[in-house]
Amino acid sequence: MEPSGRLARAAGLCYFVTHVTSIGGLVLYGPVLNDPGYVLGAGPDGRVLLGALLEVLLALGIVGTAVTLYPVTRRHNEAAAVGYVALRVLEAAVIAVGIVSLLAVVTLRRHGADGADPAALATSARALVAVHDWTFLLGPNFVCGANTLLAAYLMYRSRLVPRFVAVLGLVGGPLIFASAVAVLFGGYTQVSAWGALAAVPVFAWELALAACLVTRGFARAAAPVPAAV
């Protein structure tokens, strides 16, 4: 397989990894996110720690998508390609902050209960969960919306993938960014029907892009285009 073909397959697999780990991590985090008394009880720590591991893999997969695409996309627009790498790294860093905040709740539950005021302990745990909730809005919504738009623009201009795939990203990126603004100002909660609907186009974009890259690779007819935006 030629180098660009290997890079396409690697990028596609990284996108698939991000989907599996993001969904798995969110499901496993359920007790610590939804139970106000988690820090005071026995706590299914193993489940939360497994969720943290999945999110570590998620962060690595996010960076992997950008790193594997960069050698090809830079031939078409180097500034946009570098921007995509930077935004994906930023998204992964924000997610890492959320991981640390929930691991801190586990530490409080294991070592903070002895002699600590239960009310203060519960308040500290809720504050750490709130940090995770904000990172969930900033990383997978605001930053993801921006980098999706940039990547979709690159794919649309370069024709490295079919145009309909790129259009999904061109629609999904601004939509999930706008949804994040609505959540920020209290229009609705992130985990809601409206929030889920706003995320559908981005979800479809990444799945379609991953499937295209793994099964077809980059379009052979794609040629470098002027970098003007």
Side-chain angles (χ1 to χ4, degrees):
M1 185 184 297
E2 62 184 26
S4 62
R6 289 195 295 269
L7 288 170
R9 178 166 294 182
L13 291 175
C14 283
Y15 275 111
F16 280 129
V17 166
T18 63
H19 276 272
V20 173
T21 53
S22 62
I23 295 171
L26 187 60
V27 170
L28 291 169
Y29 279 157
V32 68
L33 294 179
N34 303 318
D35 181 6
Y38 174 87
V39 72
L40 301 174
D45 289 348
R47 176 174 171 175
V48 176
L49 294 175
L50 180 57
L53 175 59
L54 288 181
E55 284 218 309
V56 169
L57 297 176
L58 166 64
L60 294 174
I62 286 172
V63 175
T65 61
V67 171
T68 51
L69 288 177
Y70 177 75
V72 177
T73 55
R74 69 183 290 271
R75 304 171 193 164
H76 300 269
N77 189 321
E78 186 167 9
V82 170
Y84 184 63
V85 173
L87 285 170
R88 289 299 262 180
V89 170
L90 175 60
E91 183 181 353
V94 172
I95 289 171
V97 173
I99 298 171
V100 171
S101 70
L102 294 188
L103 290 178
V105 176
V106 173
T107 299
L108 280 177
R109 195 206 63 75
R110 287 179 171 179
H111 306 293
D114 296 337
D117 176 48
L121 204 59
T123 299
S124 299
R126 285 197 297 271
L128 290 166
V129 170
V131 170
H132 172 271
D133 291 344
W134 282 114
T135 61
F136 190 54
L137 178 66
L138 294 176
N141 285 261
F142 276 115
V143 182
C144 179
N147 66 48
T148 294
L149 180 60
L150 195 56
Y153 167 79
L154 268 168
M155 295 300 171
Y156 187 88
R157 288 273 295 172
S158 64
R159 303 196 182 198
L160 286 167
V161 297
R163 283 284 176 98
F164 80 89
V165 175
V167 169
L168 285 173
L170 291 173
V171 171
L175 183 59
I176 200 169
F177 191 95
S179 176
V181 173
V183 172
L184 181 66
F185 288 99
Y188 48 82
T189 60
Q190 186 173 1
V191 183
S192 64
W194 287 111
L197 284 174
V200 167
V202 166
F203 187 82
W205 140 260
E206 292 194 348
L207 277 183
L209 180 61
C212 183
L213 292 174
V214 169
T215 60
R216 301 175 54 178
F218 297 113
R220 293 183 179 274
V225 296
V229 295

